[in-house]
Amino acid sequence: MTLVTRFAAAAIMVVAAVGGASAKEWKTVRIGTEGAYPPFNYVENNELKGFDIDIAKALCAKMKVECTFVAQDWDGIIPALLAGKYDAIAASMSITDERKKQIDFSKKYYKTPATFAVQKDSKITDTSPAALKGKVLGAQGSTIHSNYLEDVYAKAGAEVKLYGKQDEANLDLANGRLDAILADKVVLLEWLDSKDGACCKFTGAEYTDPKYFGEGVGVGIRKDDADLVAMFNKAIDEILADGTYKTINAKYFPFSVY
């Protein structure tokens, strides 16, 4: 599914050299996103919406380029970027050392902690690896949260189940097939405040260890496109400076996610 949003009647030519290579002429920038991670990116009335989408639109406006948005399943989002399906990823992708082996990133455009959710009648309050030994824990696969569960909690004796989408993990928790799920706190807050999430609650600590959870969320870009990284970085600085970021943030959250 491809969804298009147009932002400029004219495009600019980037003529500076970045990292010793000639910059490309960026008239359009194709942006990949998941479309299944509310409130950051989701599909409503056949249109991509959410914080990631609004931020990407604002960045494209600053760069004076035409933006095309492409919905892509999370598991294939980096391979599709590398294959040239789109030029950048704006999909709440955390900047981690492991991902930086494959792609480059802009500077961060938000950072939020991870936390656990459990059913409301759960007695789990201690979410340390030792305390969750023998428990069944869930997360969306190929994420910083699944990596953390597999590397830390599975080795401590927990059973880890992974899902293609966050909603699938949420559903299994609600139906009692999981003892707890680990996810981004803001994403879980959106669900817990909904009718479907009325079953459940936050518990335990917040997790921000950069080794697993990275430096924040950035725009993912191919390593060959250093000029595009520079363009996004400049645009991020501009929306932070002129109040655009604050306006978008306030549309979704009662607190700063930067």
Side-chain angles (χ1 to χ4, degrees), residues 150-168:
E150 290 182 308
D151 199 30
V152 177
Y153 286 80
K155 291 178 180 178
E159 180 183 350
V160 174
K161 291 187 175 182
L162 305 182
Y163 298 82
K165 296 181 179 180
Q166 184 62 45
D167 286 348
E168 296 169 356

Side-chain angles (χ1 to χ4, degrees), residues 79-248:
L81 173 69
L82 297 177
K85 185 174 180 180
Y86 34 78
D87 306 303
I89 296 170
S92 288
M93 180 171 283
S94 296
I95 305 165
T96 66
D97 289 340
E98 190 64 27
R99 288 176 179 147
K100 285 193 286 187
K101 294 175 183 177
Q102 300 182 72
I103 63 174
D104 283 341
F105 285 91
S106 71
K107 60 180 59 180
K108 74 168 186 178
Y109 64 88
Y110 84 83
K111 185 174 184 178
T112 49
T115 193
F116 282 96
V118 295
Q119 288 196 337
K120 283 187 173 175
D121 61 357
S122 172
K123 304 301 182 184
I124 295 173
T125 56
D126 181 353
T127 54
S128 66
L132 296 184
K133 180 180 180 180
K135 302 297 185 182
V136 184
L137 310 178
Q140 183 177 8
S142 301
T143 64
I144 53 176
H145 310 104
S146 64
N147 292 342
Y148 190 60
L149 289 184
E150 290 182 308
D151 199 30
V152 177
Y153 286 80
K155 291 178 180 178
E159 180 183 350
V160 174
K161 291 187 175 182
L162 305 182
Y163 298 82
K165 296 181 179 180
Q166 184 62 45
D167 286 348
E168 296 169 356
N170 297 349
L171 181 62
D172 266 10
L173 177 65
N175 289 335
R177 291 189 283 268
L178 295 171
D179 294 304
I181 55 175
L182 181 69
D184 181 277
K185 185 173 184 177
V186 174
V187 171
L188 285 179
L189 179 61
E190 175 90 353
W191 177 61
L192 294 175
D193 282 346
S194 72
K195 180 179 178 181
D196 291 340
C199 58
C200 302
K201 65 181 180 180
F202 288 125
T203 194
E206 294 183 353
Y207 298 88
T208 59
D209 183 351
K211 176 182 176 182
Y212 293 99
F213 300 102
E215 308 159 21
V217 166
V219 179
I221 301 162
R222 286 184 294 272
K223 288 184 176 291
D224 290 342
D225 293 331
D227 52 344
L228 190 56
V229 175
M231 289 170 63
F232 271 108
N233 284 343
K234 182 174 182 291
I236 290 169
D237 287 341
E238 288 173 352
I239 66 170
L240 286 167
D242 71 5
T244 301
Y245 186 96
K246 184 176 181 180
T247 298
I248 296 171

Side-chain angles (χ1 to χ4, degrees), residues 1-9 27-31 33 42 44 46-50 52-61 64-71:
M1 171 171 50
T2 301
L3 304 166
V4 179
T5 305
R6 297 187 179 277
F7 274 93
K27 293 183 177 181
T28 63
V29 176
R30 300 163 299 164
I31 298 176
T33 193
Y42 57 93
E44 183 177 276
N46 204 37
E47 182 180 356
L48 282 165
K49 295 185 176 182
D52 288 320
I53 309 306
D54 285 359
I55 289 291
K57 289 177 179 179
L59 296 177
C60 289
K64 296 182 173 65
V65 297
E66 179 182 297
C67 280
T68 303
F69 289 90
V70 181

